[in-house]
Amino acid sequence: MTDATDITRQTLAALGVSTAADLAPHFAAVRAEFERDAATITDDATWKSLRDLWMGRKSGVLTRITDNWLKPSPPELKRVVGQELNQLRAHVEQRLDALQQTLAAAAESQTLARDRVDLSLPSVQRPLGSPHLLRQTFAEIERIFLSLGFRVVEGPEIETPYYNFEALNIPEHHPARDTMDTFYLAMPPGAEPRLLRTHTSPVQVHTMESQQPPVRIIVPGKVYRRDNPDATHSYAFHQVEGLAVDTDVTFCEFKGTVEHFVREFLGPTIKTRLRPSYFPFTEPSVEVDASCFACGGSGCRLCKNSGWIELFGAGMVDPAVYGFVNYDPERVSGYAFGLGVDRLSQLKYGIDDVQLFFQNDVRFLRQFS
Ligand code: DAH
């Protein structure tokens, strides 16, 4: 098969063309050849060789037509050859442009298809945290006492022996100091000793030093003792101290407040019992027991068959404590309590190992979110 453009290598005279009518089929053949070529274009490279083949300055088909057909034509033919050539050139240029645009569009849709983002795919799941069970227990305790008119205050975790012991009526060599194995801070020689508070009770003293009655506060916080960690012990644990002092606070108010708290915290059917006890800073002192919520009081393993569960210590503020803060024991009276948050949380949610609070295993924490 001969290439139709081969005829552009010869002159019109050699092709036997002498009139416009002879000329037309030759241009038609050349144009048809271009169309055949154009139909084979698939990418940039074939497009470029098509362009060079037809538009190349030196030896492109259009240049050959100019050199071999137009220039040597006799004047009567030249005008028609020029017109045909211009039409052919315009057509070739237009087709090449259109082809280039088609190629670019195809390339773009290929890129889009390759980089397609599927917006319906599930996103990366980022697990949400939830408040720690101890936080929730703190919040529950605070809610109950805030509704009774108590205020939440906090105090330092590093204390002096005066606030942690003395002003709470626990003088040096008092046996109560031994029950609270204390972390003492390493201090330069001669400096006043410092310790990690063993209970939140020192905040009672700070508060009464800075404020006159009426005082109704609760003190949530961390406390520290040199205990070996096991299912019921940890060297850091949590308390909420409570203190109410006013001119006419009675034992009756104390008992009513404690009973209200227990019912709100554990449930409306729970009964409360006050059992005589001893704390240096309260007189009388009591242990607050709740009727066993597992067996209803008939006796089971949880209450060791007693029907009662020990909840926390409390009592009427010992007048000796007022002496340390310049309150007049003849004029004011009050009560205090010390809630063990870890213990109350364990009881309420049935957690038999306190270490679970500190391991932060999400499988444990998630159960209470
Ligand atoms: N501070 C005591 C302790 O940690 C708990 C306590 C008992 C606090 C009786 C009180 C109270 O305020 O009245 O062992």
Side-chain angles (χ1 to χ4, degrees):
M1 202 170 77
T2 37
D3 188 331
T5 63
D6 282 350
I7 55 175
T8 64
R9 298 181 194 279
Q10 304 169 45
T11 61
L12 289 177
L15 289 167
V17 172
S18 52
T19 66
D22 300 335
L23 187 64
H26 291 301
F27 267 104
V30 171
R31 184 187 280 235
E33 180 66 24
F34 174 74
E35 286 306 325
R36 269 197 297 280
D37 283 355
T40 66
I41 297 309
T42 51
D43 55 20
D44 276 355
T46 48
W47 180 87
K48 276 197 183 103
S49 44
L50 179 69
R51 183 199 57 191
D52 294 345
L53 178 64
W54 285 81
M55 312 263 296
R57 270 287 160 73
K58 268 178 137 173
S59 55
V61 176
L62 295 176
T63 302
R64 283 210 300 268
I65 293 176
T66 310
D67 292 347
N68 299 336
W69 291 5
L70 182 66
K71 285 182 183 162
S73 287
E76 67 277 7
L77 211 54
K78 212 168 209 161
R79 206 176 55 84
V80 194
V81 176
Q83 266 175 10
E84 289 274 10
L85 177 59
N86 281 343
Q87 278 171 19
L88 179 64
R89 173 174 284 116
H91 177 74
V92 168
E93 280 174 356
Q94 207 181 55
R95 271 297 264 142
L96 282 171
D97 270 1
L99 280 169
Q100 194 174 37
Q101 275 172 34
T102 309
L103 285 176
E108 186 175 312
S109 60
Q110 224 172 45
T111 311
L112 284 176
R114 194 189 54 218
D115 298 348
R116 188 182 141 82
V117 176
D118 184 351
L119 294 177
S120 71
L121 281 178
S123 63
V124 178
Q125 297 292 309
R126 295 185 199 286
L128 272 187
S130 63
H132 192 282
L133 184 56
L134 286 176
R135 277 269 138 254
Q136 297 183 43
T137 308
F138 270 119
E140 175 73 355
I141 294 169
E142 287 170 21
R143 180 190 67 77
I144 296 167
F145 284 103
L146 285 173
S147 77
L148 294 176
F150 283 71
R151 197 162 59 84
V152 177
V153 303
E154 291 185 3
E157 291 180 12
I158 294 175
E159 275 293 5
T160 60
Y162 176 80
Y163 284 103
N164 197 77
F165 296 124
E166 257 131 72
L168 289 163
N169 203 29
I170 315 174
E172 228 176 328
H173 308 303
H174 191 287
R177 287 206 189 191
D178 303 338
T179 64
M180 299 185 184
D181 275 328
T182 309
F183 286 113
Y184 284 90
L185 274 65
M187 300 296 287
E192 195 192 357
R194 300 277 156 141
L195 51 80
L196 295 180
R197 68 180 177 192
T198 59
H199 49 181
T200 43
S201 305
V203 186
Q204 286 190 25
V205 182
H206 288 297
T207 305
M208 289 190 281
E209 273 183 348
S210 66
Q211 188 193 324
Q212 288 302 306
V215 170
R216 275 186 177 76
I217 56 157
I218 53 169
V219 186
K222 279 211 270 292
V223 302
Y224 302 86
R225 289 184 201 179
R226 296 177 50 173
D227 281 324
N228 288 321
D230 63 21
T232 53
H233 293 88
S234 146
Y235 43 78
F237 55 104
H238 306 85
Q239 292 186 334
V240 174
E241 187 78 11
L243 175 72
V245 181
D246 204 345
T247 47
D248 52 4
V249 175
T250 59
F251 192 86
C252 199
E253 179 186 328
F254 165 56
K255 193 162 176 273
T257 304
V258 162
E259 282 172 357
H260 175 76
F261 168 72
V262 172
R263 276 196 306 268
E264 284 282 313
F265 187 76
L266 290 178
T269 60
I270 305 295
K271 288 196 275 296
T272 305
R273 174 177 87 171
L274 304 184
R275 186 161 43 82
S277 184
Y278 173 77
F279 298 102
F281 33 89
T282 45
E283 179 58 33
S285 299
V286 299
E287 288 290 345
V288 177
D289 294 346
S291 58
C292 181
F293 41 82
C295 64
S298 57
C300 68
R301 241 180 45 174
L302 184 67
C303 59
K304 300 191 189 82
N305 275 319
S306 72
W308 295 95
I309 293 176
E310 183 178 315
L311 289 186
F312 57 90
M316 300 303 287
V317 176
D318 192 309
V321 174
Y322 296 134
F324 287 98
V325 297
N326 289 320
Y327 277 16
D328 181 356
E330 300 297 325
R331 221 173 58 80
V332 298
S333 58
Y335 58 89
F337 51 87
L339 311 178
V341 178
D342 311 70
R343 175 173 171 74
L344 289 180
S345 197
Q346 276 184 280
L347 286 171
K348 178 163 176 170
Y349 297 98
I351 292 149
D352 51 17
D353 187 345
V354 76
Q355 298 303 322
L356 287 165
F357 289 139
F358 306 107
Q359 286 157 353
N360 283 336
D361 186 329
V362 288
R363 290 168 302 180
F364 170 74
L365 298 175
R366 225 180 254 145
Q367 298 175 63
F368 309 100
S369 59

